[in-house]
């Protein structure tokens, strides 16, 4: 289980997270939606301490930390519980596709090169990139890079995978291939927290949807509850705005 | 024309015999200064207490005063204050002086190149559980070095030429030998032109090696 209690984070005078509490069960897929600047990404980055929150408690599986007395050792333990998929892929640019996956396994998890290689080959086959294993990230499309990013995360065999807007930087025609990989992961019972702007994806894949705005969790529930019967005004406004924008886009296309 | 072309040609192999001193001093100083500069740049990135202002002072001093003055202070000045330093040979003084001086420049080159590595690369390293040191070694440094190589090559060429200053300490590198040839024969132009040609040749070779290295490091980005 992942449990977050009363997480606060400020940048100077700007309070980005104003007391976030959230529970995620093992195997659950949680989608976090909300307007930009609502703190979604910051929240995700606080979970693996890429950003250090100011206070609160984070428990992931058997690692419980109180941010107030976070040590380097605890940070390391917490980070080992999760893997992350980034908006801009963030593959290691000086490593080949295969090395992107094997290097963490060898340096962090102390696996043998041979074992790491076979894990990487296996996962690359699963995401359909076996023929690219000796390519460098720079020569891949965004969608391919993101699939490598996902394979790198899965290879670590983490307790949970954190997705930070995994399709936001992609050309529209490449979004599908990445969502497909994430969906198949969801089916394999991987615990996932996905910050996303893809509402239809959140609706289809998530077990639980969290709506964040202005540093708070405004509302959470099943996709059904959030998308069809939102209770809070803020949620309704956000969803309305999205559907208006969608119509505008459609109109533009028609014209 | 008062130019003894034969003497010029004959002095080339004479001087080349001592090129190993110039090259040796330069290469060893480059290696030592590279190690020092890595320490300096790590201090800079971590803003380590106490050490950080000291490292800035170090860089400021060694970039802000002439190498020749630094060599004099090191070789002639310090033994006056600390008599036990009088045992220092001119070779040791040359190596220490060039290394300390060059480290200040190198650390600024490395600092700039490291700043050029996208911050998401460190995020990615940490997210897979690597320590900061592992991240530096496996991902950040290799990417920074690629950006740094043209400046590093430039720096090394500069170092080879600056090593000529160490003749004032009595180190018998090629400029010192050129001076001796000139003094013996009174053929100044021939002797000094010969030494100039040798320096030039060295730097051309280094420039060529540098471009090959650049090309190799560029492979992941083609």
């Amino acid at each position: 289980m992942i449990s977050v209690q009363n997480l606060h984070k400020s940048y100077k005078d700007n309070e980005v997270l104003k007391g976030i509490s959230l529970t995620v069960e093992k195997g659950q897929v949680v989608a976090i939606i909300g307007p930009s600047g609502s703190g979604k990404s910051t929240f995700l980055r606080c979970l693996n301490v890429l950003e250090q929150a100011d206070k609160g408690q984070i428990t992931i599986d058997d690692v419980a930390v109180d941010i107030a007395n976070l040590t380097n050792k605890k940070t390391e333990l917490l980070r080992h519980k999760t893997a992350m998929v980034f908006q801009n892929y963030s593959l290691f640019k000086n490593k080949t596709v295969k090395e992107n996956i094997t290097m963490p396994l060898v340096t962090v998890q102390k696996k043998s090169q041979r074992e790491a290689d076979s894990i990487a080959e296996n996962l690359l086959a699963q995401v359909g990139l076996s023929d690219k294993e000796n390519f460098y990230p720079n020569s891949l499309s965004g969608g391919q890079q993101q699939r490598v990013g996902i394979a790198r995360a899965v290879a670590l065999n983490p307790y949970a995978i954190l997705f930070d807007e995994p399709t936001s930087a992609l050309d529209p025609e490449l979004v599908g291939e990445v969502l497909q990989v994430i969906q198949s992961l969801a089916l394999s019972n991987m615990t996932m927290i996905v910050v996303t702007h893809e509402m239809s994806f959140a609706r289809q894949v998530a077990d639980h949807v969290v709506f964040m705005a202005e540093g708070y969790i405004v509302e959470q529930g099943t996709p059904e509850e959030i998308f069809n019967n939102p209770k809070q005004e803020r949620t309704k406004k956000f969803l309305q705005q999205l559907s208006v924008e969608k119509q505008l886009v459609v109109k533009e296309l028609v014209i | 024309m008062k130019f003894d072309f034969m003497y010029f040609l004959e002095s080339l192999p004479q001087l080349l015999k001592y090129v190993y001193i110039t090259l040796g001093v330069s290469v060893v100083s480059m290696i030592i200064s590279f190690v020092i500069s890595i320490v300096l740049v790590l201090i800079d990135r971590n803003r380590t207490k106490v050490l950080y202002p000291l490292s800035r002072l170090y860089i400021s001093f060694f970039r802000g005063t002439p190498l020749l003055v630094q060599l004099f202070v090191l070789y002639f000045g310090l033994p006056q204050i600390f008599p036990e330093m009088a045992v220092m040979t001119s070779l040791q003084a040359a190596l220490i002086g060039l290394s300390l001086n060059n480290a200040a420049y190198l650390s600024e080159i490395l600092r700039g190149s490291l700043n050029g590595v996208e911050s998401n690369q460190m995020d990615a390293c940490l997210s897979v559980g690597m320590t900061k040191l592992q991240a530096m070694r496996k991902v950040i440094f290799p990417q920074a070095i690629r950006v740094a190589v043209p400046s590093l090559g430039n720096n090394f060429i500069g170092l080879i030429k600056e090593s000529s200053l160490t003749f004032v300490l009595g180190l018998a590198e090629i400029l010192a030998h050129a001076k001796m040839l000139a003094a013996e024969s009174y053929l100044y132009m021939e002797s000094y032109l010969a030494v100039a040609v040798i320096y030039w040749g060295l730097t051309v070779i280094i420039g060529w090696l540098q471009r090959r290295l650049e090309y190799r490091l560029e492979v992941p980005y083609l």
Side-chain angles (χ1 to χ4, degrees), chain B residues 125-176:
Chain B
C125 290
L126 297 179
S127 82
V128 298
M130 294 166 77
T131 63
K132 274 192 176 166
L133 210 61
Q134 287 172 331
M136 290 299 278
R137 228 179 51 222
K138 302 259 174 184
V139 176
I140 311 296
F141 244 95
Q143 293 187 27
I145 284 297
R146 164 190 168 239
V147 184
V149 162
S151 312
L152 291 179
N154 219 1
N155 174 278
F156 186 52
I157 285 172
L159 185 60
I160 285 182
K161 292 183 296 174
E162 286 189 326
S163 73
S164 64
L165 286 179
T166 59
F167 87 90
V168 299
L169 308 183
L171 187 70
E173 43 69 70
I174 53 175
L175 178 59

Side-chain angles (χ1 to χ4, degrees), chain A residues 172-236:
Chain A
E173 75 270 22
L174 300 178
V175 170
E177 63 185 69
V178 170
L179 291 183
Q180 216 171 8
V181 172
I182 301 177
Q183 188 154 23
S184 69
L185 262 184
L187 294 174
S188 72
N189 257 339
M190 174 57 83
T191 310
M192 307 196 291
I193 303 180
V194 188
V195 170
T196 185
H197 290 298
E198 296 285 333
M199 293 306 145
S200 57
F201 175 75
R203 191 192 285 254
Q204 284 165 32
V205 178
D207 306 307
H208 192 77
V209 177
V210 174
F211 174 67
M212 277 181 73
E214 286 100 38
Y216 296 102
I217 291 182
V218 176
E219 190 169 358
Q220 52 181 311
T222 63
E224 175 79 3
E225 285 165 347
I226 299 297
F227 289 112
N228 296 351
N229 300 302
K231 292 191 181 59
Q232 301 293 326
E233 274 311 309
R234 189 69 189 82
T235 319
K236 288 179 192 167

Side-chain angles (χ1 to χ4, degrees), chain B residues 200-213:
Chain B
W200 192 5
L202 281 179
T203 59
V204 167
I205 293 169
I206 301 223
W208 177 75
L209 288 174
Q210 174 201 327
R211 261 192 304 277
R212 285 191 46 145
L213 182 61

Side-chain angles (χ1 to χ4, degrees), chain A residues 45 48 50 79-80 82 84 86 88 90-95 103-104 107-108 110 136 138 152 156, chain B residues 118 120-131 134 137-140 142-143 219-222:
Chain A
R45 291 169 62 86
N48 64 358
L50 286 184
R79 280 195 185 129
H80 287 183
T82 59
M84 193 158 195
F86 296 86
N88 50 19
S90 300
L91 298 182
F92 307 127
K93 289 188 163 177
N94 57 323
K95 302 281 177 190
M103 195 258 287
T107 44
V108 180
K110 308 294 174 209
Y136 285 93
N138 230 30
R152 177 175 70 183
L156 294 167
Chain B
E118 291 167 66
N120 70 32
Q121 296 290 305
M122 182 53 100
D123 282 351
C125 290
L126 297 179
S127 82
V128 298
M130 294 166 77
T131 63
Q134 287 172 331
R137 228 179 51 222
K138 302 259 174 184
V139 176
I140 311 296
Q143 293 187 27
V219 166
Y221 306 88
L222 292 176

